[in-house]
Amino acid sequence: MASVPHEVAIPRTYGVSARTQRTFLRIATGVILLVLWEVLVRWLAPPFVARPVTVARALPHVLANHLPPGTPTFWGAAEATVVASAEGLAIGIVGGVLVGLTMGRLRTADRLLRFYISTFFAMPIIALVPVMTLWFGYSSTVRLYIVALGAFLPICLNVYDGTRSLPASFVEVAQSYRARWWNVWFGIALPASLPYLLAGFKLAVGRVLVGAVVAEYIVNLKGLGSYIVFDSRTFHQPEMMVAVLFLALLGVSVNAAADLATRRFLPWYRRSE
Amino acid sequence: MSTNGAAGRIQIDGVAKQFGDLRVFQDIDLAIGEREIVSIVGPSGCGKTTLLRCIDGLVQPSEGEIRIDGAKVTEPPRGVAVVFQHFGLFPWKTVYENVAYGLRLAGAPKDQIAESVARHIELVGLKGFDKAYPYQLSGGMQQRTGLARALATDPHVLLMDEPFASIDAQTREILQFELLRIWESRPMSMVFVTHSIEEAVLMGDRVVVLRGRPSSIHEVIETGLPRPRTRDVLSSPRFNEVREQVWSLLMHEAEQAERELQEVR
């Protein structure tokens, strides 16, 4: 038998754990990008264009709400956006779970609704903002509808998928213990679909943040969207960048929290990573 | 020979099942007594699992009727529990919660659930695994959980749907004798569907052999083996005799099917 040169397959870690190495590489990429941003802007762009150093300098007074009079305050704007997004997510989760379960368990509901829900899902919802301002006026109602729809559609379709892929054996077991339809829906189909619900939630977070910010741009509502528009039009680019980074951080941390919740509360659902 | 005709806890009269054009089985007449284990064997596809589902009311027969304690079965009756080949454990529930499932659905009071679940987890030898999830258990342990879940509802009829078919041979033998031990401590009506002839003979007071297409009861054999059954039964002459009898009945069928295939070619 030929000997296998197995030492070739073992990655060299130079005495550092693989995890430390991965973290180091990740940070290195970030530092390189920041340096490139700084250098390119200094070299090529007019002085008002934000670069890492000016953003870092703007950070303390933005976060302390020390802004020129007449400009929107950062935390006020952040609060408005976060609260509206949370409301939209809450409505989307409740509605998405109910409609998704119904479509997954009732063939009639599936035939009536799924085509339209899939179509709305494929469509950019924010394209509806202008027409919604005609229906609901320039009010926060528009933003609420946009974020609620943005959360509802992916959660509904994911819960539907989860319910459809429910093994028939689970339903049979439940029925043999005399489960009624509501026991099957909420006691079997819903918990079995939780991994799908979480995947839908992560999609929803992205859509909700985009929806909220765009609605705030167009409708000019108090929020990070209008804060960004105002600051960029008044040449406060570093201050604006703080809001952009905050939004990025918000999206990333909500998704990380969802992953953490999956590991903590759905230990039976083993992710293939 | 029909035992306990009138005293049968489960009464199956002229039952047939048809799926579209496919007639699976017909003319099934069987009475199963209060403390009797009846094994059902037959070639794969003979509808033995479907028959079991009819007895639990999960599937309705196309003809005839099934009565349990005199009441016609139209939906899963109280006091009847099934142990499935696929275990049917809910992956998001712990062992404890899986075992408690039937009692919770029945709306049992909390302290009764806690007492019964703990007792049955111990009975099937899973003490200390209350908080484990199914994916952390071996196949044998998963089926022990399935058995505990069925027994926790305190059934007087236990329907076994090839319960040990997907478990490795050694564990299967251990579980067979544990099931017999549990049955001795609380005898009840049991229908044991299996494709293993040895298992059918070991468990059953009678072995029902299904044959034909559509299948029907070809023969009912009294095993006449003593209870409580221990490992000694496996080496007794009577066990071998019955096993050979069932085997020849089923082999005849298999050979005939083979011959028909040859003729078609």
Side-chain angles (χ1 to χ4, degrees):
Chain A
M1 248 167 106
S3 74
V4 181
H6 59 270
E7 57 268 54
V8 177
I10 299 170
R12 285 158 200 274
T13 53
Y14 303 102
V16 183
S17 83
R19 191 176 165 176
T20 314
Q21 218 174 23
R22 259 203 318 269
T23 313
F24 175 77
L25 288 174
R26 205 176 279 174
I27 292 171
T29 316
V31 170
I32 290 169
L33 285 174
L34 284 177
V35 169
L36 264 179
W37 176 9
E38 182 74 34
V39 169
L40 286 176
V41 170
R42 272 180 193 242
W43 184 24
L44 300 169
F48 58 81
V49 173
R51 52 196 162 82
V53 170
T54 58
V55 174
R57 238 182 255 145
L59 204 57
H61 66 259
V62 170
L63 295 186
N65 272 344
H66 285 317
L67 293 164
T71 60
T73 68
F74 173 78
W75 286 115
E79 188 195 349
T81 303
V82 168
V83 167
S85 302
E87 283 171 358
L89 275 172
I91 297 170
I93 289 172
V94 173
V97 164
L98 290 177
V99 177
L101 273 177
T102 310
M103 286 198 311
R105 294 298 304 166
L106 296 181
R107 187 167 285 192
T108 315
D110 186 354
R111 287 186 180 149
L112 285 171
L113 296 175
R114 189 158 57 94
F115 174 79
Y116 297 99
I117 290 178
S118 301
T119 307
F120 269 97
F121 179 72
M123 195 182 79
I125 295 295
I126 49 176
L128 289 174
V129 174
V131 76
M132 279 188 171
T133 61
L134 296 179
W135 299 341
F136 307 116
Y138 282 79
S139 69
S140 57
T141 315
V142 174
R143 178 175 58 192
L144 188 63
Y145 274 95
I146 293 293
V147 292
L149 263 178
F152 168 78
L153 295 168
I155 288 173
C156 175
L157 287 173
N158 269 276
V159 170
Y160 167 82
D161 275 347
T163 313
R164 291 299 299 169
S165 57
L166 179 71
S169 60
F170 289 173
V171 179
E172 188 179 41
V173 171
Q175 283 169 347
S176 84
Y177 286 99
R178 305 167 56 82
R180 302 296 169 209
W181 67 267
W182 56 89
N183 300 130
V184 176
W185 283 35
F186 298 102
I188 305 296
L190 183 56
S193 304
L194 277 180
Y196 290 80
L197 174 60
L198 266 153
F201 175 80
K202 288 167 75 176
L203 275 176
V205 170
R207 288 187 159 223
V208 159
L209 287 179
V210 170
V213 168
V214 171
E216 286 159 3
Y217 285 163
I218 297 176
V219 187
N220 195 22
L221 296 167
K222 181 183 174 191
L224 287 174
S226 51
Y227 173 95
I228 287 170
V229 170
F230 187 91
D231 278 359
S232 52
R233 285 187 184 152
T234 53
F235 300 100
H236 291 99
Q237 278 209 11
E239 287 79 2
M240 179 215 71
M241 280 311 293
V242 173
V244 172
L245 292 176
F246 177 80
L247 282 168
L249 197 68
L250 192 63
V252 170
S253 28
V254 174
N255 272 346
D259 285 339
L260 198 71
T262 309
R263 278 194 290 272
R264 177 79 178 72
F265 299 110
L266 309 179
W268 53 275
Y269 174 61
R270 290 181 297 166
R271 286 138 42 93
S272 48
E273 251 186 318
Chain B
M1 189 172 156
S2 105
T3 50
N4 341 306
R9 168 150 263 162
I10 307 172
Q11 193 76 40
I12 303 171
D13 287 317
V15 163
K17 181 64 192 178
Q18 188 146 353
F19 290 111
D21 289 336
L22 179 70
R23 203 164 169 81
V24 188
F25 52 76
Q26 59 189 13
D27 304 327
I28 307 284
D29 294 302
L30 193 64
I32 295 154
E34 247 171 67
R35 296 167 158 231
E36 193 186 17
I37 303 182
V38 169
S39 302
I40 299 178
V41 278
S44 45
C46 75
K48 45 192 192 296
T49 289
T50 307
L51 178 60
L52 199 80
R53 273 163 206 193
C54 286
I55 299 174
D56 193 40
L58 288 166
V59 174
Q60 295 307 313
S62 313
E63 290 166 25
E65 62 172 34
I66 296 169
R67 292 179 172 272
I68 292 180
D69 292 328
K72 190 175 169 185
V73 175
T74 52
E75 57 168 17
R78 255 178 235 289
V80 179
V82 191
V83 177
F84 296 89
Q85 180 188 351
H86 52 66
F87 314 145
L89 300 182
F90 301 122
W92 59 89
K93 288 183 188 289
T94 58
V95 166
Y96 184 95
E97 284 304 320
N98 268 294
V99 174
Y101 184 69
L103 291 168
R104 284 208 200 286
L105 272 187
K110 241 182 179 162
D111 47 340
Q112 189 196 325
I113 293 176
E115 184 277 322
S116 178
V117 170
R119 184 157 48 86
H120 285 95
I121 286 178
E122 195 173 349
L123 180 71
V124 300
L126 282 181
K127 203 175 177 186
F129 287 93
D130 310 45
K131 292 192 177 73
Y133 285 90
Y135 76 88
Q136 295 168 312
L137 305 177
S138 67
M141 290 162 90
Q142 290 189 36
Q143 194 58 302
R144 285 169 189 271
T145 311
L147 184 62
R149 175 174 64 184
L151 292 173
T153 58
D154 204 14
H156 52 263
V157 173
L158 193 58
L159 305 175
M160 308 292 279
D161 178 18
E162 304 197 31
F164 308 139
S166 38
I167 291 170
D168 68 273
Q170 283 159 19
T171 311
R172 183 186 313 145
E173 210 172 297
I174 293 169
L175 287 177
Q176 284 165 346
F177 284 102
E178 280 201 32
L179 178 62
L180 284 168
R181 171 182 64 81
I182 291 169
W183 184 85
E184 288 296 339
S185 68
R186 48 197 286 189
M188 58 188 116
S189 303
M190 196 189 298
V191 182
F192 201 104
V193 164
T194 174
H195 59 244
S196 154
I197 295 170
E198 281 80 5
E199 189 169 72
V201 178
L202 174 65
M203 304 304 299
D205 294 302
R206 287 184 291 157
V207 177
V208 173
V209 180
L210 293 182
R211 239 176 73 172
R213 220 163 267 231
S215 65
S216 54
I217 296 182
H218 181 71
E219 193 135 358
V220 180
I221 299 161
E222 296 268 352
T223 57
L225 294 166
R227 291 202 188 270
R229 288 187 190 166
T230 55
R231 284 190 51 83
D232 299 338
V233 167
L234 294 173
S235 50
S236 71
R238 177 65 189 159
F239 178 83
N240 280 310
E241 190 187 322
V242 179
R243 190 187 61 190
E244 287 309 307
Q245 196 182 348
V246 177
W247 195 82
S248 63
L249 287 170
L250 289 171
M251 276 310 107
H252 178 73
E253 165 113 343
E255 279 163 12
Q256 204 169 12
E258 196 79 0
R259 219 173 303 130
E260 276 167 23
L261 258 176
Q262 302 257 316
E263 277 164 24
V264 171
R265 276 185 201 141

